[in-house]
């Protein structure tokens, strides 16, 4: 009847990106087979402070695991020396409600979003993708790069951010000898000729244009995670094969939220959700020329799968400390 407490430093020692990718792909499959529960995100908007909180509950039947995540997004935290995103996750036993583990969710959130992008690209991007464009070079760009390396043999990484120091920091931190890193002066130059494009900006004005994209490019649209945010011009969404993680979430807070509300696109423009792709219910990429887009809003079931995997790994590794809460 005790609860395990896990901090971020402990989790980082024994849980890596490859573990997260495995967990997230499993979660997407279970989602595609209808063996999950995932109520809509609950938002607490704090306009006075320029941020918000989100409560994300989820359940995966085969794991016998329930999780609720309490996560914030405060963009101005950069100036305060704090993470933009911070989170706590509670893993509970569905049979009795016992809180099995309370853990740091900040590192896990970064991992699971990066892992989701890697899983989507695994099914939607061309298998021979080598050139990666990172539009935005913050924490999430780092996670996307680490995850995509697990799936693809990246040869060239292009970096663009309004803050050139962010590009330099990412280049210094993650550069590998078998990869060429180039800091680019404009988003247009960054994405032209790229095989995989990752957008992780907080933009509320669409800036990425269809004319910039090469045939066969894949986009992981990560930045739009709240109402009013968008990075891609609607023409891309009209012409590309668009896959969302969840229609219910994406139409309210994902990349498609603004053009959908304005009538620029409709549900007919959405090809599938990621569960349908991973389970094979719908075909993924069918030729080398089609442009594909993954609209990632972040699903609670990703957190369930990640938290469950972390907890089980912690038990084996004897990590964390126990507290009697009941």
């Amino acid at each position: 009847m005790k609860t395990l407490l896990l901090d971020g430093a402990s989790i980082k020692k024994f849980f890596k990106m490859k573990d997260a990718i495995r967990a997230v792909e499993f979660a997407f499959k279970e989602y595609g087979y209808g063996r999950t529960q995932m109520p809509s995100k609950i938002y607490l908007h704090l306009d006075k402070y320029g941020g918000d909180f989100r409560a994300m509950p989820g359940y995966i039947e085969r794991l016998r695991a329930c999780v609720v995540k309490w996560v914030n997004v405060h963009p101005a935290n950069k100036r305060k020396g704090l993470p933009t995103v911070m989170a706590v996750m509670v893993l509970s036993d569905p049979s009795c409600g016992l809180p099995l583990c309370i853990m740091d969710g900040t590192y896990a959130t970064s991992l699971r979003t990066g892992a989701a992008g890697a899983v989507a690209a695994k099914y939607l991007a061309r298998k021979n993708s080598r050139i990666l464009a990172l539009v935005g070079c913050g924490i999430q760009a780092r996670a996307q790069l680490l995850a995509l390396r697990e799936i693809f043999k990246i040869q060239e990484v292009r970096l663009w951010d309004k803050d050139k120091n962010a590009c330099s920091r990412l280049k210094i931190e993650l550069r590998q000898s078998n990869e060429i890193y180039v800091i680019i002066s404009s988003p247009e130059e960054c994405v032209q000729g790229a095989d995989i494009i990752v957008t992780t900006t907080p933009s509320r004005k669409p800036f990425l244009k269809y004319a910039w994209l090469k045939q066969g490019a894949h986009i992981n649209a990560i930045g739009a995670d709240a109402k009013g945010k968008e990075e891609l011009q609607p023409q891309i969404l009209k012409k590309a094969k668009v896959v969302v993680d969840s229609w219910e979430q994406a139409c309210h807070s994902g990349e498609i939220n603004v053009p959908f509300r304005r009538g620029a696109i409709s549900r007919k423009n959405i090809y599938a959700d990621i569960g349908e792709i991973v389970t094979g219910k719908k075909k993924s990429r069918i030729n080398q020329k089609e442009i594909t887009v993954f609209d990632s809003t972040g699903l609670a079931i990703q957190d369930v799968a990640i938290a469950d995997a972390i907890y089980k790994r912690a038990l084996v590794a004897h990590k964390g400390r126990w507290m009697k809460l009941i």
Side-chain angles (χ1 to χ4, degrees):
M1 300 293 290
K2 291 183 179 180
T3 301
L4 184 66
L5 302 181
L6 278 170
D7 61 30
S10 297
I11 295 171
K12 288 179 181 179
K13 291 178 181 178
F14 64 84
F15 198 81
K16 305 300 181 183
M17 183 60 79
K18 63 181 179 181
D19 305 311
I21 293 172
R22 190 180 305 113
V24 166
E25 186 166 11
F26 175 82
F28 286 159
K29 284 183 179 179
E30 292 304 293
Y31 175 53
Y33 287 128
R35 296 192 288 246
T36 65
Q37 289 186 46
M38 186 177 53
S40 299
K41 286 182 186 178
I42 299 171
Y43 281 82
L44 187 61
H45 297 284
L46 304 170
D47 296 337
K48 177 180 178 181
Y49 302 103
D52 64 66
F53 279 99
R54 306 160 193 199
M56 300 174 64
Y59 169 57
I60 297 180
E61 182 181 334
R62 287 185 64 189
L63 293 179
R64 294 186 62 195
C66 292
V67 168
V68 63
K69 182 170 77 172
W70 181 242
V71 57
N72 77 295
V73 178
H74 283 69
N77 276 1
K78 287 182 179 180
R79 297 193 298 270
K80 303 174 183 178
L82 291 171
T84 300
V85 177
M86 294 178 279
V88 175
M89 299 195 295
V90 180
L91 170 69
S92 298
D93 183 338
S95 68
C96 63
L98 179 70
L100 300 171
C101 186
I102 299 173
M103 67 180 74
D104 168 78
T106 306
Y107 173 63
T109 295
S110 177
L111 281 184
R112 64 87 140 135
T113 309
V119 173
K122 173 182 174 181
Y123 288 88
L124 295 171
R126 296 186 303 174
K127 303 302 179 186
N128 63 345
S129 294
R130 297 291 181 267
I131 301 175
L132 170 63
L134 298 178
V135 183
C137 293
I139 296 297
Q140 192 44 237
R142 178 187 188 280
Q144 292 288 318
L145 174 55
L146 290 175
L148 289 166
R149 277 178 178 165
E150 298 288 337
I151 307 296
F152 300 93
K153 294 180 180 179
I154 304 297
Q155 294 177 349
E156 181 178 331
V157 180
R158 299 176 182 173
L159 310 170
W160 178 86
D161 195 291
K162 286 184 177 180
D163 179 3
K164 298 306 177 186
N165 290 329
C167 298
S168 299
R169 287 193 297 269
L170 189 63
K171 179 178 178 179
I172 292 169
E173 182 182 1
L174 295 184
R175 185 168 188 170
Q176 290 189 346
S177 59
N178 60 332
E179 296 172 347
I180 298 172
Y181 280 67
V182 184
I183 296 177
I184 305 296
S185 59
S186 70
E188 179 179 359
E189 186 182 353
C190 186
V191 305
Q192 285 181 336
D195 300 309
I196 298 175
I197 300 160
V198 178
T199 59
T200 59
T201 76
S203 178
R204 290 181 175 269
K205 292 183 179 180
F207 61 88
L208 199 71
K209 298 181 180 181
Y210 180 80
W212 299 351
L213 307 177
K214 69 177 287 186
Q215 287 186 335
H218 170 70
I219 302 171
N220 278 344
I222 309 296
D225 60 353
K227 184 178 179 181
K229 290 185 177 182
E230 59 177 331
E231 299 177 293
L232 315 185
Q233 291 196 334
Q235 186 183 15
I236 296 175
L237 302 174
K238 289 179 180 179
K239 293 189 174 184
K241 175 180 281 185
V242 180
V243 175
V244 296
D245 51 12
S246 160
W247 164 256
E248 288 75 17
Q249 286 190 183
C251 70
H252 289 102
S253 60
E255 180 58 44
I256 67 171
N257 86 91
V258 176
F260 175 71
R261 286 202 312 276
R262 292 177 176 171
I265 64 170
S266 70
R267 190 161 186 172
K268 293 181 181 179
N269 295 105
I270 309 306
Y271 174 71
D273 67 45
I274 192 64
E276 293 173 306
I277 296 296
V278 174
T279 56
K281 292 181 178 180
K282 287 191 175 180
K283 293 182 179 180
S284 51
R285 173 174 290 274
I286 58 174
N287 63 60
Q288 296 297 298
K289 294 184 178 182
E290 65 179 340
I291 293 173
T292 55
V293 174
F294 176 54
D295 183 356
S296 174
T297 60
L299 304 184
I301 54 167
Q302 295 168 228
D303 299 309
V304 177
I306 291 281
D308 180 74
I310 289 173
Y311 174 66
K312 290 173 179 174
R313 187 71 62 83
L315 293 181
V316 173
H318 303 290
K319 299 293 184 180
R321 62 189 181 90
W322 294 94
M323 176 177 288
K324 190 170 183 179
L325 298 181
I326 298 173

